[in-house]
Amino acid sequence: AQKVTQAQTEISVVEKEDVTLDCVYETRDTTYYLFWYKQPPSGELVFLIRRNSFDEQNEISGRYSWNFQKSTSSFNFTITASQVVDSAVYFCALSEATEGNNRLAFGKGNQVVVIP
Amino acid sequence: NAGVTQTPKFRVLKTGQSMTLLCAQDMNHEYMYWYRQDPGMGLRLIHYSVGEGTTAKGEVPDGYNVSRLKKQNFLLGLESAAPSQTSVYFCASSYGREVYEQYFGPGTRLTVT
């Protein structure tokens, strides 16, 4: 069974500070995919990134960066120089490729509050 | 493209009433999903479909039924609503075959009194 743990429930930062969100996952599959989604106060879910289990290269996209480490089963997400618009709930999710249905197992989410 | 749309956006039901939530996507996606979101619980999969005419149970299927008669539509039914089904319901779709990101609808807020 797949499982995703996001230990931090709410994180408050002052604008321009960096914030890192931790995600730890469990799976028996060798082929799997990891995702981050953002849910702003308006409620919609916005896709941010997808990573497969064979690609451990870390990625930077603007102020966002991701650190994928298979050795520790972690897929952490960092927002650099946070802005008020980054205030949202961020979800980490896992999909096991061998199931063939692409279903996602979500963590419980990290509430990020950026204080101006 | 409208992407993924959900109808209705809000609904209040009394215990025992029935209703159907409609999800529609115009991206020609094979796979569709229904999730529910409760405070502090993240999103949990209710049912999903990997193609027209096929459905399968997810993590929390009890009390719900689904149908996928057309590729672009995925219906979620509550036959006899209970207060425990008060939640925000999200529909999602994806290309299928390979694991691609899922695109989500705007959600339906359901309250059962």
Side-chain angles (χ1 to χ4, degrees), chain A residues 14-109:
Chain A
V14 177
E15 199 170 19
K16 296 184 184 178
E17 289 183 340
D18 297 349
V19 55
T20 295
L21 308 181
D22 298 331
C23 174
V24 175
Y25 61 92
E26 294 178 33
T27 178
R28 294 179 182 178
D29 272 25
T30 56
T31 304
Y32 52 90
Y33 291 76
L34 295 161
F35 301 80
W36 277 97
Y37 281 85
K38 174 183 179 181
Q39 186 176 42
S42 53
E44 75 273 21
L45 282 142
V46 179
F47 164 74
L48 295 178
I49 191 172
R50 173 182 75 133
R51 260 290 177 263
N52 72 56
S53 53
F54 299 109
D55 183 3
E56 285 193 75
Q57 185 175 359
N58 295 321
E59 181 169 336
I60 298 174
S61 176
R63 295 184 298 107
Y64 296 164
S65 62
W66 292 270
N67 184 352
F68 176 29
Q69 292 193 347
K70 285 178 73 171
S71 61
T72 55
S73 297
S74 65
F75 186 45
N76 298 338
F77 171 45
T78 297
I79 305 171
T80 303
S82 60
Q83 300 175 2
V84 173
V85 293
D86 297 325
S87 296
V89 180
Y90 292 84
F91 291 99
C92 182
L94 166 70
S95 183
E96 294 172 330
T98 52
E99 279 202 16
N101 53 38
N102 300 358
R103 54 189 290 177
L104 290 173
F106 283 86
K108 294 185 178 180

Side-chain angles (χ1 to χ4, degrees), chain B residues 47-69:
Chain B
H47 285 281
Y48 63 96
S49 167
V50 297
E52 183 179 317
T54 70
T55 63
K57 294 180 180 180
E59 184 185 353
V60 288
D62 294 341
Y64 305 95
N65 56 74
V66 289
S67 64
R68 182 108 180 261
L69 299 179

Side-chain angles (χ1 to χ4, degrees), chain B residues 37-52:
Chain B
Q37 182 179 24
D38 303 295
M41 295 295 293
L43 282 84
R44 293 180 293 169
L45 183 65
I46 305 171
H47 285 281
Y48 63 96
S49 167
V50 297
E52 183 179 317

